[in-house]
Amino acid sequence: MTTVTGTSVPLTHLDAFYIGGEWVRPSSEDSVDVIHPATEDVYATVPFARESDMNRAVAAAREAFDNGPWPRLTHKERAGYMRAMADELRRRTDDLAGIWASEMGILHVDAVTRGARIPGIYETYAGFADTFDWTERHEPAGGGFGMLLREPVGVVGAIIPWNAAIVAMSFKIAPALIAGCTVVLKSAPEAPVSAYLLAEVAHSVGLPPGVLNIVTADREVSELLVRNRGIDKISFTGSTVAGKKIAEICAQRVARVNLELGGKSAALVLDDYDIATAAASLAGSATELTGQVCSALTRVVVSRHRHDELVEALSAEFAKVRVGNQFDANSDMGPIAMKRQLDMVNRIVAQGVEQGATLAAGGRRPEGLDRGYFIEPTVLGNVDNQSVVASDEIFGPVLSVIPADNEQDQIRIANDSRYGLNAAVFTNDEERAWEFARQIRSGTVGHNAHRNSHAIAFGGFKESGIGREGGREGLIPYTETKVIILDREPKNAI
């Protein structure tokens, strides 16, 4: 039993890596402290992988894929392991919620709710054992017998972010496992403890050695994972800057790659929609995970003649938000995950004001909170869409309200971004919502709220990424398509 500040979690191997089905000692004494964002105390300390540790993890995954049983099991057999993982995760939901809240500052009550959904990810992908078209019979143009097979892509390097680590890793690991892949998971140094819990889950259900390997590493060693020719595919969630670098490296050896990157998503409030209702929805979603959500609706585009009314309504909603410790039941919003992130949020808000935006609400440390990485939820008005607060992903509870000349100008502003992850149209008319949604270049467009659905697919246009996660679309990238053409159908055809 390892006790970590603020939460007692039954983790017994925080000083090791999970490689080849075993807890192994790191090759060096290098380590990283995980800081509790509300207290600034050390929450946990975990080892940092060096090159030899990463190579060992890749070799274990490679051996498990090339010579182990996992890719050779039936899909139903793999699904059995995944359902066992779901059961174990469900048993440890309270542990997971405590870890998630302590690592990055999500409200504990939200972590409980969201964490309870994680087992369903593994169960959903286990269900694809029966419903996905793993094989298709075809009639070749030249005659004979034809079969299209969807086989595992190979060894997957999964690199995850710190804001919702358990969610990101699950939407990579679950489809990879049912497809028959093996995985090296590289957890974020800021929030690695969730991955340790998942390693214990995998170990407890008897997942074959090398199928799932978990290490924590800095950017330099993470790049070695991307460059390693033992890795067939990289699946990355994180910043657009890092994603571009990963794509460049993968292109050099034609490795498969999925990128779920940043966003600067627009919410279009049309003239027929009630301002107070829109403000309540936008303010509510802006404080989720303290605004540290890639799909957050951070650019609010409204007609010029309604701009001031919306800014006032948003400011009034944010004034109601109780900022405090994420474990306090009275808190509506917790801290920013780390000092580095808080400093960036403060810097970009200040730049926005320098560039002409009006600081209408927030932007300061809340009174009475002398420790921790806290900031008031912030509203900026009269924002120019070309300014830094409108063009750069802030990853904090900051809304930029942008005035538009008319509805077509709202669409133009929404699309005038290098990102295209999410969007929303606020209108009472679903026909108009559909019309506007078809014109917005974004991976998801919601109606009257911040919405997305991994059950369908999640991902972005433009610099928001390549590929999709969730649902059937999130499974396909973990497969390779093989066509077999024979003179006649063999007796042992699948």
Side-chain angles (χ1 to χ4, degrees):
M1 176 82 69
T2 298
T3 300
V4 287
T5 305
T7 307
S8 180
V9 182
L11 296 177
T12 56
H13 299 286
L14 284 178
D15 59 347
F17 299 123
Y18 188 66
I19 297 175
E22 298 178 340
W23 295 99
V24 302
R25 301 293 302 175
S27 64
S28 75
E29 298 297 320
D30 294 344
S31 63
V32 60
D33 290 335
V34 182
I35 305 300
H36 191 294
T39 66
E40 301 184 41
D41 295 326
V42 175
Y43 165 67
T45 300
V46 302
F48 249 175
R50 296 293 91 190
E51 182 176 3
S52 60
D53 302 306
M54 188 64 77
N55 289 342
R56 183 174 181 177
V58 174
R62 188 80 256 170
E63 174 65 20
F65 184 79
D66 292 340
N67 301 309
W70 189 252
R72 295 152 191 89
L73 297 178
T74 66
H75 294 97
K76 288 186 178 181
E77 288 172 329
R78 290 196 288 269
Y81 284 95
M82 294 173 64
R83 291 191 174 98
M85 290 177 68
D87 290 342
E88 183 67 9
L89 280 166
R90 192 168 284 113
R91 188 181 70 80
R92 301 188 67 175
T93 297
D94 289 344
D95 294 339
L96 173 59
I99 292 169
W100 192 357
S102 298
E103 283 187 311
M104 65 76 55
I106 181 177
L107 291 178
H108 182 258
V109 65
D110 287 347
V112 171
T113 301
R114 293 169 185 259
R117 302 172 190 158
I118 299 301
I121 299 172
Y122 293 87
E123 291 171 336
T124 294
Y125 278 101
F128 278 112
D130 298 315
T131 62
F132 188 71
D133 294 327
W134 301 102
T135 63
E136 296 178 8
R137 293 175 181 270
H138 289 265
E139 185 173 328
F145 168 78
M147 183 72 82
L148 182 148
L149 310 177
R150 292 183 176 88
E151 298 184 345
V153 73
V155 179
V156 175
I159 303 175
I160 61 170
W162 46 261
N163 62 326
I166 189 65
V167 178
M169 70 179 75
S170 296
F171 275 111
K172 298 179 190 304
I173 291 171
L177 292 185
I178 195 62
C181 302
T182 60
V183 181
V184 176
L185 176 70
K186 200 290 294 183
S187 60
E190 300 86 356
V193 185
S194 298
Y196 277 85
L197 186 145
L198 187 64
E200 289 196 357
V201 166
H203 195 73
S204 69
V205 303
L207 201 67
V211 172
L212 178 61
N213 309 273
I214 295 177
V215 298
T216 303
D218 58 17
R219 181 165 296 185
E220 180 181 349
V221 176
S222 299
E223 185 172 314
L224 296 177
L225 173 66
V226 179
R227 293 187 182 279
N228 195 307
R229 290 188 173 275
I231 296 292
D232 299 298
K233 173 186 174 64
I234 290 291
S235 182
F236 170 78
T237 299
S239 73
T240 297
V241 171
K244 289 179 179 180
K245 179 66 173 179
I246 287 170
E248 178 184 343
I249 296 170
C250 287
Q252 293 172 2
R253 57 186 187 86
V254 200
R256 278 54 177 154
V257 62
N258 261 66
L259 304 173
E260 199 277 281
L261 307 178
K264 195 67 184 178
S265 302
L268 280 60
V269 182
L270 304 193
D271 284 354
D272 72 314
Y273 201 75
D274 181 66
I275 286 289
T277 306
S281 175
L282 289 165
S285 62
T287 56
E288 292 180 2
L289 275 73
T290 318
Q292 297 163 123
V293 180
C294 57
S295 62
L297 301 172
T298 53
R299 289 187 299 144
V300 184
V301 189
V302 64
S303 294
R304 196 173 299 278
H305 68 276
R306 302 216 302 167
H307 169 275
D308 292 352
E309 183 184 359
L310 181 55
V311 168
E312 291 176 7
L314 287 169
S315 299
E317 290 293 332
F318 275 171
K320 303 174 187 176
V321 175
R322 298 168 296 182
V323 182
N325 188 293
Q326 63 270 37
F327 288 94
D328 187 338
N330 293 316
S331 296
D332 299 315
M333 189 180 84
I336 294 287
M338 66 206 72
K339 184 178 186 300
R340 180 184 77 242
Q341 187 64 25
L342 176 61
D343 290 344
M344 187 184 79
V345 173
N346 286 327
R347 183 174 66 253
I348 295 180
V349 168
Q351 285 182 277
V353 173
E354 290 174 2
Q355 293 175 352
T358 302
L359 180 60
R364 295 176 291 272
R365 173 181 283 274
E367 293 185 7
L369 294 174
D370 298 327
R371 287 178 61 82
Y373 309 129
F374 293 100
I375 188 174
E376 297 171 335
T378 302
V379 179
L380 295 166
N382 295 300
V383 172
D384 185 329
N385 195 51
Q386 304 304 313
S387 68
V388 65
V389 291
S391 61
D392 288 9
E393 185 177 40
I394 301 177
F395 228 54
V398 181
L399 295 180
S400 297
V401 184
I402 304 170
D405 295 332
N406 51 49
E407 291 182 345
Q408 283 304 308
D409 196 35
Q410 285 182 282
I411 295 172
R412 179 193 65 79
I413 291 170
N415 289 332
D416 186 15
S417 171
R418 64 180 180 274
Y419 297 111
L421 185 57
N422 195 22
V425 181
F426 288 77
T427 176
N428 296 314
D429 187 339
E430 60 270 15
E431 304 296 333
R432 297 184 76 217
W434 175 263
E435 176 187 344
F436 273 69
R438 292 301 303 272
Q439 297 179 70
I440 297 172
R441 291 189 54 74
S442 174
T444 299
V445 182
H447 186 200
N448 297 341
H450 173 271
R451 292 182 171 180
N452 54 66
S453 176
H454 280 77
I456 304 173
F458 179 76
F461 288 21
K462 298 184 278 188
E463 292 191 17
S464 286
I466 297 173
R468 295 295 182 266
E469 293 193 329
R472 181 180 183 276
E473 296 300 312
L475 172 54
I476 293 172
Y478 293 91
T479 67
E480 289 276 21
T481 300
K482 176 186 287 184
V483 174
I484 298 177
I485 301 174
L486 304 177
D487 290 341
R488 291 171 299 278
E489 180 176 352
K491 293 179 181 180
N492 61 345
I494 297 174

